[in-house]
Amino acid sequence: MDNLGPDRVLARLTVAPALLLVAWLVVSLPLLMAGTFGIGPALLLFVVVAGLILVLGFRGTPRTDVRRGPASWWVVGGVLAVTAGFLVLQLAMQSEQIIVRRDPASYVQFAVWLQEHGSLPVSRFEWAFGGGDPALSYGSPGFFEDGGTVVPQFMAGLPMVLALGGWIGGSAAMVAMAPLLGACAVLTFGGLTARLVGPRWAPVGALALALTLPMQWVSRSTYSELPALVLLLGGLALMHDVRELPADLEGVPGWKQPVRIRAALAGLAFGLTVLVRIDGLRDVLPVAVFAGLLVARRRRTGLPLFAGLAAGAGAGLLEGFTLSRPYLSYLRDSLDPLLLMTATVVAATVLMVTLLLWPVTGVPLRRLGARVSAGRWPDLAAVTTVLVMIFFAVRPYLQTAVRIPRSHDDKVNAAFIQYVQTVTGLPVERGRLYTEITLYWVVWYIGVPALLLATYGAALLARRMVRRRSLEWLLPYSVIVWTTVTTLLRPGITPDHPWASRRLISVVVPGLLLFAIWALAWLVRRIRRLGYGPRATGAAALAGAALLLVPIAATSVGLMFTRTEQGEITAVRQLCQKLGHGASVLIVERVTADRFTQVVRGMCGLPTARVRIPAGARTPDQAEMQRVIKKIYGSHRRPVVLGAEASQVAPYGPPQPALHVVTRQDGHSLVSPPHGTWRLDISVWMAEPPGPG
């Protein structure tokens, strides 16, 4: 039986979130594809599958880092204390974004539909309006109208996770899944820090990530980056545990584990990030190349890793092209190049494996690799790393990122950026993207000391790996560097903050923090090797940790205890009560329709449609409205009209206030870190047209 000391407890605790998430997704996706995603079958299968995956994932768990020494209970307690403190704070500060304005509420409404119906697509309920009518449409932001149905935007991974919270405790528990997932990411990052840097640095790693504003911000609302981060960090931790062992460690107890199974689970965790967010396909491309290298070196973990990766990514693509096809079609301009890049990388990896395994080419290539590792190439790798960071630092002086809007979505996005420019006092520049300052985004959130340490650590690690040292970093380094460079070059997001910080939290921020902590630990070890005693090295470690953490906290403290998007759950519940049973809801104002079409359809369980507004008009055509109202009464239901103002619904009956929320929303900043919130005022009025009699 395993000796469950603090080292193995830490190792198991920090991969458990990823393993449990893998189990839930593995169970949920087939049920959703079959249209039977319900609490009964999902929970029953989850208990069985989760138990099996945990047993396989924990079997023969190694110590967190044998060469750095075992962890202590103080380390375990420190990581758990940071995780618990983060969870408590985030639960207290969590938002209630369920009224659709941006992605979090769209994910919640997606999950509400799954919780209630267990299948896709979303029904239009045309029968409740007396059949189809050219004056009515049923789609809204986040929900595409596709043929005779409505298809939710985004991949189904996060909504399936949120649905579990909805089954447990309704809307309040559903939005509370965000802080829980965020805490799981902090815990897993602490475990990865223990593995790659050393157990004593695990609490510092967990605290550094927990203090960053992007981590706090995404953990207060339902963003897909949260489960993707848990899966990615967990996959890296699992692969670290199954790496091939040096000969001098073969006799260490606990290291002879079923590495093939664990490698397959790691690959599955990596691949399932695609089920959570389609961009995850880009992030895991280095994993495919790494698996090819393992196969080329005849390692027993290569094929299981690739098989798990292919299964997880394939499941995500299957869901996307069957249940979320309109969303992927909407992303065609960026998705098609990504799919082409994926096919190219896989083909190149197969070619690489073939060349390395074929004796005619494999022997010369290995000799070439030996020469590279012994020459000046390691120094060149380090210098190149620094030059890349210098390029991003001077990029604003070389480029002004502009894209002339052509599509409808581009024009909407450009108009929003111009609005923020006006409100914040910036020059109004049409088409500005601000992507040339992406490295400065990173500096806002982790500080200059962390960025300098990360650059030094990345350069030193590159040099060591080319020299065939520190090879346990090969996969994490590849994933971090690849995703960081591609994200900084083209973040692909509206550049207002803190919104744009979600692009950084998936890999960039945790990855650079990991490099920075490794560099800090390396410097402390150098001090020790110079002959300084424990007090001096301890003081150096504390000073370094403070240098890392203080700038991070200084940026986030302004918003750390600020709540946004409050009161929406209660307000929507009251709206549903006022609408009553048997209503067919017509929304006659664009913004109200954007925000509430799916909210009323999903959370109130009422058929909802938006009424066409003629070009140049502000209200629907009255003849069309009367025709639709008559058809609703003909289907033995009550028509209810919603709008943003009393005057918009007054033509159809006595106006009544249906919903009023006054709260705070995230601020919008383009060229500086976010430092405040903006007022948010949402009103809905209703009227019930008199019956035909």
Side-chain angles (χ1 to χ4, degrees):
M1 185 176 179
D2 287 344
N3 177 22
L4 289 181
D7 44 10
R8 287 188 173 84
V9 169
L10 181 62
R12 293 183 177 186
L13 280 175
T14 53
V15 296
L19 293 174
L20 290 172
L21 194 52
V22 165
W24 180 254
L25 294 176
V26 165
V27 164
S28 300
L29 181 59
L31 293 175
L32 178 60
M33 299 291 290
T36 57
F37 180 58
I39 184 172
L43 286 182
L44 179 62
L45 290 173
F46 173 68
V47 170
V48 176
V49 174
L52 177 62
I53 287 180
L54 288 176
V55 168
L56 295 175
F58 287 169
R59 184 179 297 171
T61 305
R63 301 193 301 187
T64 49
D65 195 310
V66 174
R67 289 164 295 176
R68 302 275 184 231
S72 67
W73 288 114
W74 288 106
V75 169
V76 178
V79 173
L80 290 178
V82 171
T83 302
F86 180 84
L87 176 60
V88 170
L89 174 64
Q90 297 305 97
L91 286 172
M93 296 291 114
Q94 71 180 21
S95 72
E96 296 182 358
Q97 289 197 55
I98 65 170
I99 298 173
V100 177
R101 294 187 304 109
R102 274 188 156 177
D103 293 358
S106 297
Y107 279 116
V108 168
Q109 297 306 325
F110 190 161
V112 167
W113 182 266
L114 294 184
Q115 172 196 343
E116 296 293 332
H117 301 272
S119 62
L120 289 174
V122 176
S123 175
R124 301 201 308 185
F125 299 118
E126 289 180 303
W127 57 268
F129 301 93
D133 192 285
L136 302 181
S137 61
Y138 305 88
S140 57
F143 294 85
F144 296 98
E145 192 167 7
D146 184 48
T149 61
V150 174
V151 179
Q153 188 176 338
F154 306 123
M155 306 296 283
L158 176 59
M160 290 190 295
V161 175
L162 298 179
L164 175 61
W167 285 326
I168 293 173
S171 301
M174 188 177 287
V175 297
M177 295 296 287
L180 180 61
L181 288 169
C184 289
V186 169
L187 175 64
T188 308
F189 185 73
L192 187 60
T193 305
R195 288 166 169 85
L196 292 173
V197 182
R200 295 178 182 178
W201 293 95
V204 177
L207 183 59
L209 183 62
L211 284 176
T212 60
L213 181 58
M215 190 69 229
Q216 294 177 21
W217 181 74
V218 298
S219 300
R220 295 178 182 182
S221 301
T222 47
Y223 288 99
S224 60
E225 283 77 6
L226 291 169
L229 184 58
V230 174
L231 291 169
L232 188 67
L233 295 176
L236 292 173
L238 285 166
M239 275 311 298
H240 182 278
D241 293 346
V242 302
R243 72 191 190 278
E244 296 299 327
L245 303 176
D248 60 340
L249 295 180
E250 286 290 342
V252 176
W255 281 83
K256 293 182 178 180
Q257 71 255 13
V259 293
R260 291 185 180 90
I261 294 177
R262 192 177 286 242
L265 290 175
L268 194 55
F270 286 126
L272 285 173
T273 60
V274 180
L275 179 59
V276 173
R277 52 191 298 264
I278 194 65
D279 289 349
L281 191 60
R282 178 202 61 184
D283 299 343
V284 299
L285 285 180
V287 182
V289 180
F290 182 76
L293 285 174
L294 292 177
V295 173
R297 297 184 64 192
R298 293 183 170 85
R299 303 299 188 186
R300 53 186 171 175
T301 54
L303 286 176
L305 173 63
F306 185 80
L309 175 66
L317 292 174
L318 176 65
E319 185 278 327
F321 282 104
T322 54
L323 301 181
S324 304
R325 179 176 288 275
Y327 171 54
L328 298 189
S329 299
Y330 169 73
L331 296 176
R332 179 171 298 167
D333 289 344
S334 58
L335 180 60
D336 288 350
L338 178 57
L339 293 174
L340 179 61
M341 182 191 301
T342 301
T344 303
V345 169
V346 172
T349 301
V350 172
L351 178 61
M352 175 193 68
V353 172
T354 303
L355 293 176
L356 288 173
L357 289 178
W358 189 29
V360 175
T361 53
V363 173
L365 286 174
R366 287 184 173 85
R367 288 175 180 170
L368 177 62
R371 292 194 196 99
V372 168
S373 64
R376 302 300 300 177
W377 289 98
D379 297 330
L380 181 60
V383 171
T384 301
T385 302
V386 175
L387 290 177
V388 168
M389 298 304 285
I390 291 175
F391 162 74
F392 282 115
V394 302
R395 188 183 177 193
Y397 304 98
L398 306 174
Q399 176 192 22
T400 299
V402 176
R403 183 179 65 190
I404 302 302
R406 293 182 175 84
S407 68
H408 171 74
D409 292 320
D410 284 346
K411 292 177 181 178
V412 171
N413 189 59
F416 173 75
I417 294 175
Q418 288 179 289
Y419 165 73
V420 177
Q421 289 170 339
T422 302
V423 172
T424 57
L426 294 173
V428 177
E429 300 173 89
R430 186 169 182 261
R432 275 299 304 271
L433 297 177
Y434 297 97
T435 55
E436 70 273 11
I437 63 170
T438 48
L439 184 64
Y440 295 87
W441 297 358
V442 177
V443 173
W444 297 345
Y445 298 121
I446 69 173
V448 173
L451 182 65
L452 294 177
L453 281 170
T455 303
Y456 181 72
L460 188 55
L461 280 168
R463 184 171 181 268
R464 291 169 67 91
M465 286 188 294
V466 175
R467 287 186 170 182
R468 301 188 179 186
R469 300 168 59 191
S470 300
L471 293 182
E472 71 276 6
W473 270 93
L474 183 57
L475 178 58
Y477 189 94
S478 302
V479 171
I480 294 168
V481 170
W482 164 254
T483 306
T484 297
V485 171
T486 54
T487 300
L488 294 184
L489 280 174
R490 189 177 182 274
I493 192 169
T494 307
D496 67 303
H497 288 260
W499 173 259
S501 69
R502 62 184 297 199
R503 282 292 183 267
L504 304 178
I505 197 58
S506 57
V507 174
V508 177
V509 165
L512 293 180
L513 288 177
L514 201 57
F515 286 157
I517 296 168
W518 183 89
L520 183 58
W522 184 88
L523 291 172
V524 170
R525 289 196 300 272
R526 288 294 174 182
I527 293 173
R528 184 186 302 118
R529 290 172 185 173
L530 290 174
Y532 291 94
R535 289 187 178 181
T537 54
L542 288 174
L547 183 68
L548 182 74
L549 297 173
V550 169
I552 295 173
T555 298
S556 60
V557 69
L559 297 175
M560 187 180 297
F561 303 103
T562 301
R563 304 177 74 187
T564 59
E565 308 278 355
Q566 299 300 301
E568 294 185 18
I569 293 177
T570 299
V572 169
R573 187 179 298 120
Q574 293 172 351
L575 171 65
C576 295
Q577 292 174 349
K578 291 179 180 179
L579 292 174
H581 299 288
S584 293
V585 180
L586 301 170
I587 306 181
V588 295
E589 191 268 331
R590 182 187 61 82
V591 175
T592 305
D594 287 348
R595 292 174 173 177
F596 288 95
T597 297
Q598 186 58 36
V599 172
V600 175
R601 182 187 294 131
M603 300 190 73
C604 302
L606 297 175
T608 308
R610 54 196 302 159
V611 183
R612 180 179 62 188
I613 299 177
R618 301 186 62 184
T619 58
D621 180 80
Q622 292 302 305
E624 288 190 336
M625 278 294 294
Q626 294 304 320
R627 182 184 71 244
V628 172
I629 290 171
K630 183 177 180 180
K631 289 172 64 178
I632 292 174
Y633 274 119
S635 63
H636 306 290
R637 295 185 64 85
R638 297 184 299 111
V640 177
V641 180
L642 299 184
E645 301 173 1
S647 60
Q648 295 168 349
V649 301
Y652 313 105
Q656 306 173 48
L659 177 145
H660 188 210
V661 174
V662 179
T663 183
R664 307 296 296 180
Q665 62 175 308
D666 295 316
H668 304 281
S669 177
L670 297 173
V671 295
S672 63
H675 49 77
T677 58
W678 292 7
R679 176 186 170 95
L680 176 63
D681 193 331
I682 303 175
S683 294
V684 177
W685 287 77
M686 61 179 287
E688 186 169 340

